[in-house]
């Protein structure tokens, strides 16, 4: 009986010690992730805003790391999930692209697009994708894989879209190329070369 008690005691001690060790390693893993995302979870990061002008229209491009959107959507409660999603999607790039007329007029009116307002909105939503591509530092050309048009219903004095690109090494520098068919301002290039600047999350 004493032998059985010793075995049970030894087994329980081993199980408790193992659980305690496992909890400790889990905390270490979480704190490592927390350290990596410290700046992102507190303030977020974006690249410098790159601006090209086409007569009276400003075209502004800003690269936004996907961790920014993951943390904004999922919060900081479970950073392992955020980190896991980032690892699965780290070859994706998101670029915020803004169009703004210098006198803050509505750019989708016929005065600027030479098309009906409804057609201009449709173009922003469904046709703009083919007008963008990126060139990597290795000279690879990557077509835009999708566009999300943030419709503002004439409340804000600008038009904004999110551009999505796939299959790009996260360490690659990129140049965004936009061929403007909507406002007919030609081809504009935005070379992202700086580190991220702080923005509020």
């Amino acid at each position: 009986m004493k032998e059985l008690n010793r075995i049970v005691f030894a087994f329980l001690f081993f199980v408790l010690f193992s659980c305690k060790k496992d909890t400790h390693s889990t905390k270490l893993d979480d704190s490592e992730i927390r350290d990596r995302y410290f700046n992102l979870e507190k303030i977020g990061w974006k690249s410098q805003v790159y601006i090209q002008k086409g007569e009276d229209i400003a075209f502004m491009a800003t690269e936004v790391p996907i961790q920014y959107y993951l943390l904004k959507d999922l919060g900081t409660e479970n950073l392992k999930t955020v980190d896991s999603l980032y690892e699965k999607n780290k070859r994706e790039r998101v670029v915020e692209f803004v169009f703004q007329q210098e006198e803050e007029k509505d750019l989708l009116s016929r005065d600027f697009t030479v098309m009906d307002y409804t057609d201009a909105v449709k173009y922003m939503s469904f046709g703009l994708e083919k007008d963008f591509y990126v060139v990597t530092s290795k000279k690879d050309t990557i077509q835009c894989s999708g566009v999300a048009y943030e419709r503002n219903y004439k409340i804000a004095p600008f038009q904004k879209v999110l551009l999505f690109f796939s299959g790009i090494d996260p360490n690659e520098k990129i140049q965004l190329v936009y061929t403007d068919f909507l406002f007919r301002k030609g081809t504009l290039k935005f070379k992202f070369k700086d580190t991220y600047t702080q923005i509020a999350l």
Side-chain angles (χ1 to χ4, degrees), residues 111-166:
D111 296 340
F112 298 102
T113 64
V114 193
M115 64 174 72
D116 181 65
Y117 194 89
T118 304
D119 291 336
V121 169
K122 285 180 186 173
Y123 193 87
M124 290 289 283
S125 302
F126 309 111
L128 207 57
E129 181 178 311
K130 65 180 175 35
D131 299 348
F132 289 94
Y133 65 90
V134 296
V135 178
T136 68
S137 52
K138 292 178 182 170
K139 304 299 181 206
D140 292 328
T141 299
I142 312 289
Q143 295 299 319
C144 183
S145 57
V147 172
Y149 172 41
E150 294 184 9
R151 191 135 182 230
N152 61 38
Y153 299 95
K154 301 183 182 183
I155 295 170
F158 57 83
Q159 301 296 329
K160 181 161 76 169
V161 294
L162 295 178
L163 309 170
F164 304 98
F165 300 90
S166 299

Side-chain angles (χ1 to χ4, degrees), residues 46-51 59-63 96 192 194 197:
K46 288 187 180 183
S47 76
Q48 173 184 329
V49 177
Y50 292 91
I51 302 172
F59 301 88
M60 296 165 270
T62 310
E63 187 178 1
E96 197 176 84
F192 297 99
D194 69 330
T197 54

Side-chain angles (χ1 to χ4, degrees), residues 7-193:
I7 292 171
V8 170
F9 179 74
F11 178 74
L12 287 173
F13 179 76
F14 177 74
V15 168
L16 289 172
F17 182 73
S18 297
C19 290
K20 189 175 182 183
K21 188 176 181 183
D22 187 53
T23 304
H24 185 261
S25 69
T26 302
K27 283 182 181 176
L28 280 178
D29 290 346
D30 186 58
S31 66
E32 180 187 323
I33 295 168
R34 228 167 249 292
D35 286 344
R36 265 192 287 144
Y37 288 137
F38 177 74
N39 288 323
L40 286 172
E41 72 182 87
K42 295 295 181 194
I43 56 174
W45 296 93
K46 288 187 180 183
S47 76
Q48 173 184 329
V49 177
Y50 292 91
I51 302 172
Q52 296 280 347
K53 291 213 65 173
E55 296 171 18
D56 59 343
I57 300 175
F59 301 88
M60 296 165 270
T62 310
E63 187 178 1
V64 186
I66 58 172
Q67 298 100 312
Y68 173 80
Y69 292 107
L70 291 172
L71 288 167
K72 198 166 184 172
D73 287 345
L74 302 173
T76 59
E77 293 302 312
N78 191 347
L79 288 181
K80 285 188 179 182
T81 302
V82 172
D83 197 51
S84 174
L85 286 169
Y86 168 69
E87 285 301 318
K88 288 178 185 172
N89 297 287
K90 67 183 178 183
R91 298 183 64 82
E92 307 295 317
R93 295 286 182 99
V94 179
V95 175
E96 197 176 84
F97 200 83
V98 176
F99 308 82
Q100 185 167 2
Q101 202 273 337
E102 63 184 23
E103 294 176 14
E104 300 186 352
K105 293 179 180 175
D106 189 349
L107 279 171
L108 298 185
S109 69
R110 189 177 287 275
D111 296 340
F112 298 102
T113 64
V114 193
M115 64 174 72
D116 181 65
Y117 194 89
T118 304
D119 291 336
V121 169
K122 285 180 186 173
Y123 193 87
M124 290 289 283
S125 302
F126 309 111
L128 207 57
E129 181 178 311
K130 65 180 175 35
D131 299 348
F132 289 94
Y133 65 90
V134 296
V135 178
T136 68
S137 52
K138 292 178 182 170
K139 304 299 181 206
D140 292 328
T141 299
I142 312 289
Q143 295 299 319
C144 183
S145 57
V147 172
Y149 172 41
E150 294 184 9
R151 191 135 182 230
N152 61 38
Y153 299 95
K154 301 183 182 183
I155 295 170
F158 57 83
Q159 301 296 329
K160 181 161 76 169
V161 294
L162 295 178
L163 309 170
F164 304 98
F165 300 90
S166 299
I168 303 172
D169 184 314
N171 299 315
E172 284 270 347
K173 291 182 179 175
I174 60 170
Q175 179 177 30
L176 177 70
V177 181
Y178 171 52
T179 305
D180 179 25
F181 294 110
L182 186 61
F183 306 110
R184 302 164 322 281
K185 304 298 182 192
T187 299
L188 306 167
K189 297 178 181 179
F190 305 82
K191 191 164 189 174
F192 297 99
K193 57 189 175 200

